[in-house]
C-alpha cells in the first residue's frame, strides 16, 4: 500500500513518514501542493494525506484537480483547529475524511485502515482468503490457524495482494504499490519477493493461493480443485 | 637543514642573528670603553701632577709641602724630586722602582714586577727655590683588572642572552606558526573524513597567515557549494526526468491495451515501453546513488534468514541463466541469520548475478555461494566469463564504468556495482573482486554478523 503525504510542516512530515513506514506502508512525502501534484501525476497511490494550508498549491486545489480527473484515491485532509469552513469545503470537494491537528497517531492509522477497507469492501480489519487471514491492525498473518512470520516488505506485499484478491496485478503495479519513489527499480525484484512470499504462505500447504499469470503478472485467488 | 621544520629553522636563524649582534655590540662597547677609561685615567694623572705644584710652597728657601700631597687621591701617587733626583717629598707605590727615567710632559708606561704603571713627570721653577720635578704614578693593573672582570661578565652574559633569545624566538615562532598548523590539520581532516563543511576559522588579527586562512575558508565555501550543487543537480534532473517518463510509460500501456493494433505497431510500442522502463530504472538508480552521496539513504534493518533470501534470489536468477544456457551452481549454507535491509540485500545478489550472467558467454558457468562463521557471513559469485583486465579492475566500482564499452546492452546501466559496493559498506562489510582476463571473475563480500 502506497501513501502520499503532502504536509508543509517539516517535523510533522518526517514523523508521519517514519510512523507510516513502520506500518509497512511505502510512503512518499512532499512539502507543497505543486510537488504533490507531480507525484500524483506519475504514480498511483492507495491513500493520500493532504494538508490544506500549503505553499504553491493548497490541498483543496490539489484535491479538486484530482477528482476532476476522475481519480478516486481516498483522501484524508489534515486541517488546522479552527477552520470548520475548510473542512466543509474539503469534504464537499471530495475528501473522504479529515483529521484536526494535533491528532493522535493511532487515530490516523485507524482512519487509514478504514479507508483501505472501504476500497476492498470489507467491514472488518481482518482480510482473508481460504484459510489464510491477515489482520490489518496487529499485522499478524495466519494460515490454517498457524501464525506465520513475515518481514515488513512481505507483509506489505501480501496485504496488497489480499486487498486486491482475484485481480491480476502486473509487476509494475506491484512495484509501484509496495515501494516508494526512493526505491531504485530492478527488473525482477517483484518476482523475487513473490517467490519469497510463496515459500512462507504456499509451499508448506497443499492449496496454493498465489498464481502466476503468464505475461500478465500475479493473482491471489482460490482456484477450484 | 632541509629536514628541519620551519619552526626550528626560524628559531636557529633568529638566535644566530641575536648572538652575532650582541657579540658585536659587546665587543665595540668593550673596546671603546677600555680606551676611554685609560684616556681618562691619563688625564686625571696629569691633572693631579699639576695640582701637586700648588701644594708646594717655598717658605724661607725651604719647601713647605702640604700634607695632602702624600695622600693617594684617585689612585694617583705624587712625589717631588730635586733636580738631582733626590726625593723631596711624597710617596711612591710599593714595588715601584725609581729607575724609570725622568721624561717631562709625556705619559710613560712602565712595567715593573708584573704590574703596569702610568708615569707622568712635570717640572717647574719654584720662585726662590729652583726647579722641582713632580712625578705622578698610577697603577694601570687595577684598571686592567676591572676591564678583565667586565669581559668575563660579558662572556657569562652572552650565552645567557643567547639562551634567552632562543627560548623567546621559539615560543614566538611557535605562536606565529600555530595558524599554519591549524590550516594543515583542517586540510588533513577534510581529506580523511571527506567532510567539506570543516573550516579553519582563524579569527582576529590582520596578519598574512590569518588572511591566508580566510582565503582558504572562502575557497572551501565555493568548493562545498559546487560539490553540493552537483549532487543537487543529479537529484533534480532525475526528478524532472521521472515525471515525463512515467507519462510515456502509462501512455504506452494504454495504447498497448487497444485490440486494434497491428503486430508491427505493437512491437514498436513495446520497444518504446521497454526502453522507457530501462530509463526509469536508470534514473531510480541514479537517485539512489545521489541519496547515498548525501547520506540520505536509510537502511531498514530487520532480522532475516539470509539463507532463504539467497536461495530465493538464486532460484529466480536461474531462470535468467537458463535462457542463456548458463549453468548456475549454488553452494548455500543453511540457517544463516543476520540483521540487514531485506530489499537491499536482495538487490546485492541480483546485481552480482545479473552482472556475472551478462559477462559470461553462452554455455558458461556461474557459481554462487554463501557461508558463515561466528563473526561474518561470506558470499561469492564466480563466473567463467570474459574477465576484467588488471588495469581496469580498480575502476569497476566507478559509476557508469563498463568493462566492455562496445556492449550496448541497455538494461545494464553501469551503476550495478556502485550500488553493490554501497550496500555492502552500508551493512558494515567489505567486497573484493579478483579477475583474470579471459578466464572469469570472482566477487566476494563479507558482512559482519
Amino acid at each position: 500500500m502506497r501513501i502520499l503525504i503532502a504536509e508543509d510542516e517539516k517535523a510533522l512530515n518526517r514523523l508521519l513518514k517514519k510512523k507510516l513506514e513502520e506500518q509497512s506502508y511505502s510512503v512518499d512525502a512532499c512539502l507543497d501542493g505543486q510537488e504533490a501534484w507531480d507525484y500524483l501525476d506519475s504514480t498511483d497511490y492507495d491513500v493520500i494525506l493532504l494538508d490544506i494550508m500549503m505553499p504553491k498549491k493548497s490541498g483543496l486545489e490539489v484535491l479538486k484537480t484530482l477528482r476532476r480527473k476522475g481519480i478516486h484515491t481516498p483522501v484524508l485532509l489534515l486541517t488546522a483547529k479552527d477552520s470548520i469552513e475548510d473542512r466543509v469545503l474539503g469534504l464537499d470537494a471530495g475528501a473522504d475524511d479529515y483529521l484536526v491537528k494535533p491528532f493522535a497517531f493511532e487515530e490516523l492509522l485507524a482512519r487509514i485502515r478504514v479507508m483501505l477497507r472501504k476500497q476492498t469492501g470489507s467491514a472488518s480489519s481482518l482480510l482473508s482468503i481460504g484459510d489464510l487471514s491477515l489482520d490489518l491492525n496487529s499485522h499478524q498473518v495466519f494460515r490454517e490457524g498457524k501464525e506465520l512470520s513475515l518481514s515488513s516488505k512481505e507483509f506489505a506485499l501480501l496485504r496488497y495482494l489480499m486487498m486486491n484478491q482475484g485481480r491480476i496485478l502486473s509487476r509494475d503495479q506491484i512495484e509501484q504499490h509496495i515501494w516508494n519513489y526512493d526505491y531504485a527499480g530492478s527488473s525482477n525484484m517483484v518476482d523475487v519477493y513473490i517467490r519469497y512470499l510463496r515459500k512462507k504462505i504456499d509451499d508448506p500447504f497443499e492449496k496454493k493461493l498465489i498464481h502466476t499469470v503468464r505475461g500478465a503478472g500475479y493473482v491471489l485467488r482460490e482456484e477450484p480443485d | 637543514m632541509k629536514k628541519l621544520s620551519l619552526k626550528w629553522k626560524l628559531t636557529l636563524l633568529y638566535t644566530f642573528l641575536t648572538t652575532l649582534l650582541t657579540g658585536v655590540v659587546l665587543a665595540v662597547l668593550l673596546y671603546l670603553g677600555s680606551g676611554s677609561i685609560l684616556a681618562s685615567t691619563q688625564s686625571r694623572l696629569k691633572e693631579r701632577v699639576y695640582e701637586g705644584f700648588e701644594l708646594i710652597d717655598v717658605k724661607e728657601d725651604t719647601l713647605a709641602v702640604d700634607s695632602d700631597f702624600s695622600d693617594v687621591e684617585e689612585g694617583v701617587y705624587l712625589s717631588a724630586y730635586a733636580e738631582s733626583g733626590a726625593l723631596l717629598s711624597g710617596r711612591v707605590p710599593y714595588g715601584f722602582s725609581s729607575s724609570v727615567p725622568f721624561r717631562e710632559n709625556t705619559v710613560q708606561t712602565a712595567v715593573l714586577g708584573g704590574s703596569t704603571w702610568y708615569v707622568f713627570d712635570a717640572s717647574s721653577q719654584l720662585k726662590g727655590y729652583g726647579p722641582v720635578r713632580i712625578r705622578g704614578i698610577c697603577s694601570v693593573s687595577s684598571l686592567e683588572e676591572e676591564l678583565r672582570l667586565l669581559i668575563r661578565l660579558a662572556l657569562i652574559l652572552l650565552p645567557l642572552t643567547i639562551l634567552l633569545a632562543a627560548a623567546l624566538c621559539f615560543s614566538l615562532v611557535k605562536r606565529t606558526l600555530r595558524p599554519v598548523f591549524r590550516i594543515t590539520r583542517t586540510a588533513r581532516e577534510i581529506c580523511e573524513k571527506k567532510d567539506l563543511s570543516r573550516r579553519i576559522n582563524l579569527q582576529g588579527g590582520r596578519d598574512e597567515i590569518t588572511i591566508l586562512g580566510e582565503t582558504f575558508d572562502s575557497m572551501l565555501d565555493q568548493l562545498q557549494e559546487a560539490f553540493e550543487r552537483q549532487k543537487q543537480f543529479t537529484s533534480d534532473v532525475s526528478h524532472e526526468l521521472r515525471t515525463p517518463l512515467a507519462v510515456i510509460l502509462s501512455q504506452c500501456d494504454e495504447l498497448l491495451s487497444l485490440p486494434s493494433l497491428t503486430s508491427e505497431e505493437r512491437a514498436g510500442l513495446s520497444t518504446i515501453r521497454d526502453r522507457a522502463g530501462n530509463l526509469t530504472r536508470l534514473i531510480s538508480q541514479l537517485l539512489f546513488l545521489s541519496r547515498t552521496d548525501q547520506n540520505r539513504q536509510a537502511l531498514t534493518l530487520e532480522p532475516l534468514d539470509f539463507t532463504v533470501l539467497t536461495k530465493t534470489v538464486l532460484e529466480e536468477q536461474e531462470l535468467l541463466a537458463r535462457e542463456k544456457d548458463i549453468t548456475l551452481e549454488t553452494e548455500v549454507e543453511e540457517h544463516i541469520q543476520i540483521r540487514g535491509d531485506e530489499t537491499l540485500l536482495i538487490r546485492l545478489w541480483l546485481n552480482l548475478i545479473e552482472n556475472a550472467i551478462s559477462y559470461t558467454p553462452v554455455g558458461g558457468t556461474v557459481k554462487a555461494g554463501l557461508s558463515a562463521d561466528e563473526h561474518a557471513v561470506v558470499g561469492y559469485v564466480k563466473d567463467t566469463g570474459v574477465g576484467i583486465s588488471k588495469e581496469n579492475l580498480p575502476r569497476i566500482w566507478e559509476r557508469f564504468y563498463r568493462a566492455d564499452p562496445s556492449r550496448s546492452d541497455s538494461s545494464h546501466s553501469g551503476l550495478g556495482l556502485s550500488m553493490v559496493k554501497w550496500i555492502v559498506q552500508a551493512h558494515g562489510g567489505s567486497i573484493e573482486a579478483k579477475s583474470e582476463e579471459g578466464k572469469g571473475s570472482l566477487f566476494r563480500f563479507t558482512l559482519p554478523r
Side-chain angles (χ1 to χ4, degrees):
Chain A
M1 300 288 111
R2 192 161 173 183
I3 297 177
L4 178 70
I5 302 169
E7 163 65 63
D8 63 332
E9 205 182 300
K10 278 186 183 157
L12 180 61
N13 187 308
R14 250 199 318 271
L15 183 75
L16 283 173
K17 183 166 158 56
K18 187 170 158 269
K19 290 279 187 184
L20 287 174
E21 278 174 346
E22 281 169 13
Q23 300 292 316
S24 302
Y25 295 114
S26 66
V27 181
D28 291 314
C30 58
L31 295 167
D32 64 61
Q34 184 55 49
E35 215 185 328
W37 187 247
D38 286 344
Y39 275 105
L40 287 168
D41 211 21
S42 50
T43 321
D44 272 348
Y45 286 91
D46 297 295
V47 170
I48 301 163
L49 305 184
L50 269 185
D51 181 22
I52 290 188
M53 293 287 289
M54 271 191 300
K56 290 186 188 169
K57 224 174 183 183
S58 81
L60 280 181
E61 275 178 81
V62 175
L63 176 62
K64 279 182 193 160
T65 329
L66 200 67
R67 295 295 185 242
R68 212 180 301 126
K69 284 206 165 188
I71 299 170
H72 297 291
T73 312
V75 170
L76 190 145
L77 289 176
L78 305 174
T79 74
K81 216 179 210 161
D82 48 357
S83 55
I84 299 173
E85 205 184 338
D86 277 352
R87 277 176 247 158
V88 174
L89 276 174
L91 288 172
D92 283 346
D96 297 80
D97 203 348
Y98 68 84
L99 262 180
V100 178
K101 287 192 253 182
F103 47 82
F105 201 76
E106 286 307 314
E107 189 180 354
L108 174 71
L109 288 181
R111 303 254 183 140
I112 290 174
R113 285 196 295 267
V114 169
M115 289 197 291
L116 288 173
R117 243 171 30 213
K118 272 187 195 157
Q119 279 182 296
T120 60
S122 156
S124 87
S125 63
L126 201 69
L127 301 173
S128 61
I129 177 171
D131 51 10
L132 175 72
S133 59
L134 178 146
D135 191 327
L136 288 172
N137 295 356
S138 65
H139 282 210
Q140 282 170 305
V141 176
F142 297 92
R143 184 144 193 204
E144 287 181 355
K146 235 175 62 190
E147 190 177 348
L148 308 174
S149 98
L150 300 184
S151 77
S152 74
K153 274 281 175 281
E154 288 164 351
F155 177 82
L157 175 59
L158 184 62
R159 180 172 56 193
Y160 182 62
L161 290 176
M162 286 191 91
M163 283 186 156
N164 293 286
Q165 49 184 276
R167 277 175 59 195
I168 296 170
L169 301 167
S170 72
R171 287 179 178 79
D172 284 348
Q173 260 175 315
I174 295 174
E175 194 176 300
Q176 277 189 21
H177 284 266
I178 304 302
W179 281 280
N180 67 356
Y181 221 59
D182 289 348
Y183 165 68
S186 164
S187 49
N188 46 5
M189 186 63 88
V190 171
D191 300 311
V192 172
Y193 263 106
I194 291 282
R195 189 181 284 272
Y196 218 166
L197 195 57
R198 269 179 170 155
K199 283 196 175 171
K200 291 194 177 163
I201 68 159
D202 267 354
D203 288 358
F205 305 95
E206 202 183 318
K207 223 168 167 193
K208 309 301 175 205
L209 294 170
I210 301 173
H211 304 278
T212 310
V213 183
R214 267 193 153 275
Y218 298 99
V219 61
L220 185 75
R221 69 177 168 221
E222 273 189 287
E223 303 257 284
D225 292 323
Chain B
M1 213 42 194
K2 271 188 181 166
K3 278 184 186 161
L4 280 181
S5 71
L6 193 59
K7 191 163 69 181
W8 285 107
K9 271 187 199 165
L10 282 175
T11 307
L12 279 178
L13 178 71
Y14 288 149
T15 312
F16 175 72
L17 282 178
T18 317
T19 313
L20 196 73
L21 275 176
T22 318
V24 167
V25 167
L26 273 177
V28 167
L29 275 180
L30 277 177
Y31 175 74
L32 290 177
S34 62
S36 76
I37 284 172
L38 293 178
S40 81
T41 308
Q42 287 181 7
S43 66
R44 209 167 58 228
L45 181 64
K46 288 180 192 164
E47 233 168 81
R48 276 289 289 163
V49 170
Y50 292 129
E51 270 171 20
F53 284 105
E54 283 163 31
L55 293 173
I56 300 171
D57 274 334
V58 183
K59 278 182 181 162
E60 301 155 7
D61 290 344
T62 49
L63 288 180
V65 180
D66 197 299
S67 63
D68 283 351
F69 192 80
S70 299
D71 286 349
V72 180
E73 244 175 70
E74 294 172 319
V76 178
Y77 295 82
L78 289 179
S79 47
Y81 299 88
E83 194 151 30
S84 62
L87 180 67
L88 295 173
S89 180
R91 289 173 64 184
V92 172
Y94 177 77
F96 188 82
S97 130
S98 53
S99 66
V100 180
F102 194 84
R103 203 174 291 158
E104 224 170 300
N105 290 334
T106 43
V107 177
Q108 302 181 68
T109 306
V111 182
L112 291 165
S115 306
T116 312
W117 309 90
Y118 279 154
V119 181
F120 183 73
D121 299 321
S123 75
S124 173
Q125 248 347 290
L126 289 184
K127 223 184 250 168
Y129 187 79
V132 170
R133 296 173 182 167
I134 290 182
R135 167 168 276 189
I137 307 161
C138 118
S139 162
V140 188
S141 297
S142 69
L143 280 175
E144 277 181 341
E145 201 70 10
E146 273 173 44
L147 276 174
R148 221 170 283 141
L149 203 73
L150 260 178
I151 292 170
R152 207 170 298 151
L153 203 67
L155 283 178
I156 296 169
L157 275 178
L158 192 64
L160 275 178
T161 319
I162 293 168
L163 274 181
L164 193 71
L168 275 175
C169 277
F170 185 75
S171 77
L172 197 74
V173 168
K174 205 171 140 187
R175 263 184 67 154
T176 317
L177 288 182
R178 200 176 292 151
V180 177
F181 294 132
R182 209 154 130 178
I183 293 173
T184 316
R185 200 178 53 226
T186 309
R188 199 173 288 157
E189 277 173 359
I190 289 173
C191 284
E192 279 168 8
K193 294 183 182 146
K194 307 228 180 306
D195 179 5
L196 267 179
S197 64
R198 282 172 196 270
R199 291 294 177 273
I200 299 158
N201 278 332
L202 295 179
Q203 262 143 21
R206 298 286 344 132
D207 60 289
E208 291 84 344
I209 297 182
T210 311
I211 294 171
L212 173 70
E214 281 167 4
T215 316
F216 230 82
D217 276 351
S218 70
M219 191 184 74
L220 282 173
D221 281 342
Q222 286 185 17
L223 254 178
Q224 189 186 10
E225 209 189 299
F227 212 66
E228 239 124 69
R229 239 193 336 251
Q230 187 223 337
K231 282 191 205 159
Q232 191 58 42
F233 177 76
T234 318
S235 164
D236 287 351
V237 164
S238 309
H239 269 295
E240 290 299 320
L241 287 177
R242 206 132 80 148
T243 311
L245 270 171
V247 177
I248 293 174
L249 277 175
S250 65
Q251 288 296 315
C252 283
D253 280 339
E254 240 178 275
L255 286 175
L256 278 169
S257 68
L258 295 177
S260 57
L261 291 179
T262 66
S263 62
E264 228 170 274
E265 287 166 337
R266 197 172 290 281
L269 270 175
S270 297
T271 311
I272 295 175
R273 197 190 170 287
D274 287 350
R275 291 293 146 90
N278 287 341
L279 259 181
T280 312
R281 239 167 266 137
L282 172 68
I283 289 163
S284 304
Q285 292 175 356
L286 267 180
L287 273 171
F288 175 91
L289 289 170
S290 101
R291 271 196 309 278
T292 66
D293 287 343
Q294 296 167 358
N295 288 325
R296 284 199 300 116
Q297 179 65 42
L299 291 188
T300 316
L301 296 177
E302 284 178 286
L304 48 94
D305 189 325
F306 204 23
T307 302
V308 176
L309 183 148
T310 306
K311 282 186 169 172
T312 311
V313 178
L314 292 176
E315 284 162 20
E316 194 59 47
Q317 294 302 82
E318 212 185 337
L319 305 176
L320 189 74
R322 219 178 290 158
E323 281 173 29
K324 256 187 97 177
D325 205 17
I326 288 171
T327 321
L328 180 62
E329 290 175 6
T330 60
E331 183 188 38
V332 180
E333 213 172 273
E334 293 295 325
H335 308 301
I336 298 177
Q337 307 286 330
I338 65 164
R339 252 179 91 76
D341 185 306
E342 193 180 54
T343 306
L344 289 178
L345 290 176
I346 291 177
R347 195 53 196 258
L348 166 66
W349 278 118
L350 281 177
N351 285 7
L352 281 177
I353 294 169
E354 272 171 18
N355 198 57
I357 290 175
S358 82
Y359 285 106
T360 300
V362 175
T365 307
V366 172
K367 196 172 172 185
L370 183 72
S371 60
D373 61 18
E374 294 146 56
H375 311 293
V377 178
V378 178
Y380 72 88
V381 175
K382 200 177 166 202
D383 64 56
T384 56
V386 293
I388 308 150
S389 66
K390 221 173 221 130
E391 62 268 25
N392 283 335
L393 198 56
R395 299 190 52 213
I396 56 170
W397 311 106
E398 288 170 17
R399 287 170 201 182
F400 293 112
Y401 174 76
R402 278 179 226 214
D404 182 1
S406 63
R407 247 166 227 258
S408 58
D409 184 356
S410 57
S411 67
H412 259 265
S413 58
L415 295 175
L417 288 179
S418 304
M419 287 178 82
V420 163
K421 186 161 195 181
W422 185 83
I423 293 169
V424 172
Q425 285 175 344
H427 282 83
S430 61
I431 184 160
E432 53 165 5
K434 284 181 188 164
S435 188
E436 212 177 312
E437 231 178 336
K439 290 205 170 161
S441 313
L442 168 70
F443 288 86
R444 189 207 302 273
F445 64 84
T446 310
L447 303 178
R449 291 188 87 172

